[in-house]
Amino acid sequence: MIQKTIICLIICISSYSNILLGQGCSDAGFCTMGAMRPDQAYSKKINFKLRSISIEQYRGKSTVSAVINATTLDFNFGIDSKTTFQFKLPYMYVNGNFGSTSGLGDISLSLTRTLWSTDKYTISGTLGAKIPTNDSDIDTQSDLNPNDGFEPQTARDFPGYYQTSLGSYDIVAGASYLSRDWLFAIGYQQALTRNETDFRWSEWFFPVYPFDDEYVQRHSQSVNLLRGTDLMFRAERNWRFSNYNFNLGALFINRITRDEITSPMTGERVKVENTTGPAISLLAGAGYDFNVNSSLKFVYGQKIIDRDENPDGLTRDNVLSLTYLFRF
């Protein structure tokens, strides 16, 4: 009965998300790693299992036409009572005016350790990494059938919103304070390598592309992008009951260094203007625990403030997600 209820809820939410403008984390995903993730379980009375697996269905609407969908598997393995290893693997599928793309997203690996614990709160720290699954260079040729007679030169790289991977190796670190009512988390993420994206306006301008040039230019150029460094802060208020909980929060991500690309005009490396500054989202969520092993979580986020230029294509207007979690 429970399993049928879960399936029905997932179908209903997925259908509803097709109507909603799907956001949440306007970053490369590190705000859902380890100690930094939202809606963390907290109880000094229940002995939660040390292992869990969850599946999340995500739908986000970009600031342009692209709609980003992702199905993510999230594994957590308790090494001991204080240390947890996390592995996340998303499958992305994107649709928009430029076309459609799909494929594996970046792999997230992290190790989280409880640093201090009392009867009222827990302080944890996380170290992790993001590993690319491709070079972030998916182009129109990827979807062309050779038998259709298209020549290789017709291929054009999709902008960042359509890429399934960021194409870079990243390091991640963070920490959190968790109590029954509050969660405060901080995070740091830095890209160590450039990607191989080669999105240029000139290759998509009319008459090659059926939209006007102004629309094309709403997608920031990104040639061999090296993303800037991000700092994150999360504040969340929780209301916990026996089997369900509700939460409201804010997510603040500040890019403290400018993105860097190869200029399509000169071929020189340049710092991109207006790529630093804050991205702020408000989030609301709810969860229901069927029992100590099984739970369902729902999250909606709305963008409030964002950067002017986003070559990485990570910005969302809003997001909707549904997650089923099983502990064992």
Side-chain angles (χ1 to χ4, degrees):
M1 182 64 182
I2 291 177
Q3 298 300 324
K4 290 182 178 179
T5 302
I6 293 169
I7 293 172
C8 289
L9 284 170
I10 291 174
I11 292 173
C12 290
I13 294 297
S14 298
S15 299
Y16 185 50
S17 66
N18 288 327
I19 301 173
L20 285 175
L21 296 175
Q23 158 136 27
C25 184
S26 296
D27 73 326
F30 77 123
C31 61
T32 58
M33 291 176 65
M36 297 165 283
R37 57 186 167 187
D39 193 18
Q40 297 181 38
Y42 180 86
S43 175
K44 293 300 181 181
K45 296 180 180 180
I46 299 175
N47 182 24
F48 285 108
K49 304 293 184 178
L50 295 180
R51 294 172 295 179
S52 69
I53 180 172
S54 67
I55 180 167
E56 176 195 40
Q57 184 61 45
Y58 163 100
R59 182 179 176 87
K61 177 65 172 65
S62 70
T63 56
V64 285
S65 67
V67 176
I68 297 91
N69 294 274
T71 301
T72 302
L73 290 176
D74 186 339
F75 299 89
N76 288 268
F77 303 94
I79 297 174
D80 55 38
S81 61
K82 292 186 176 182
T83 308
T84 303
F85 175 76
Q86 182 189 35
F87 170 86
K88 289 198 307 175
L89 179 64
Y91 187 86
M92 316 287 292
Y93 33 109
V94 185
N95 290 286
N97 290 338
F98 279 33
S100 301
T101 60
S102 61
L104 290 176
D106 293 335
I107 298 169
S108 299
L109 304 172
S110 66
L111 195 67
T112 300
R113 175 78 175 176
T114 299
L115 304 177
W116 187 265
S117 182
T118 73
D119 290 336
K120 295 183 178 181
Y121 65 87
T122 299
I123 296 175
S124 302
T126 293
L127 290 176
K130 298 290 291 299
I131 300 174
T133 53
N134 61 62
D135 294 325
S136 191
D137 59 352
I138 298 175
D139 57 40
T140 55
Q141 189 68 28
S142 301
D143 295 327
L144 298 180
N145 186 337
N147 297 325
D148 291 338
F150 289 98
E151 298 297 330
Q153 61 265 27
T154 62
R156 300 180 298 279
D157 273 26
F158 283 104
Y161 290 104
Y162 293 79
Q163 299 297 332
T164 61
S165 170
L166 291 169
S168 64
Y169 289 88
D170 298 0
I171 56 172
V172 174
S176 68
Y177 167 95
L178 176 66
S179 69
R180 177 178 175 80
D181 297 330
W182 290 97
L183 167 65
F184 297 102
I186 57 174
Y188 170 88
Q189 177 168 273
Q190 181 174 347
L192 302 177
T193 59
R194 307 175 186 175
N195 64 28
E196 298 298 324
T197 301
D198 191 22
F199 172 70
R200 305 165 186 258
W201 291 335
S202 59
E203 295 181 350
W204 290 85
F205 280 159
F206 184 85
V208 174
Y209 191 69
F211 289 84
D212 59 42
D213 294 352
E214 182 181 354
Y215 175 76
V216 174
Q217 290 174 329
R218 290 176 60 190
H219 302 73
S220 302
Q221 296 189 101
S222 51
V223 181
N224 300 134
L225 171 68
L226 177 64
R227 294 188 341 274
T229 299
D230 287 327
L231 296 178
M232 182 214 82
F233 176 74
R234 179 192 297 281
E236 179 182 281
R237 175 66 163 91
N238 267 281
W239 291 267
R240 304 180 192 274
F241 303 93
S242 58
N243 290 97
Y244 54 90
N245 73 289
F246 302 94
N247 59 79
L248 292 174
L251 182 66
F252 176 94
I253 299 171
N254 192 33
R255 184 153 294 178
I256 59 175
T257 61
R258 286 185 292 175
D259 294 352
E260 181 182 293
I261 65 170
T262 299
S263 169
M265 301 294 294
T266 66
E268 298 179 351
R269 297 295 292 177
V270 296
K271 301 286 187 179
V272 183
E273 297 292 335
N274 302 317
T275 53
T276 57
I280 302 176
S281 299
L282 297 181
L283 301 134
Y288 182 80
D289 294 322
F290 297 101
N291 50 51
V292 71
N293 300 103
S294 181
S295 61
L296 196 66
K297 297 182 180 182
F298 171 84
V299 175
Y300 176 80
Q302 177 65 50
K303 182 193 69 176
I304 303 301
I305 296 175
D306 194 24
R307 294 177 287 274
D308 292 334
E309 297 291 332
N310 298 278
D312 50 28
L314 290 170
T315 306
R316 309 285 182 266
D317 275 335
N318 44 53
V319 75
L320 187 68
S321 71
L322 181 69
T323 303
Y324 174 68
L325 173 69
F326 181 75
R327 302 180 186 91
F328 58 99

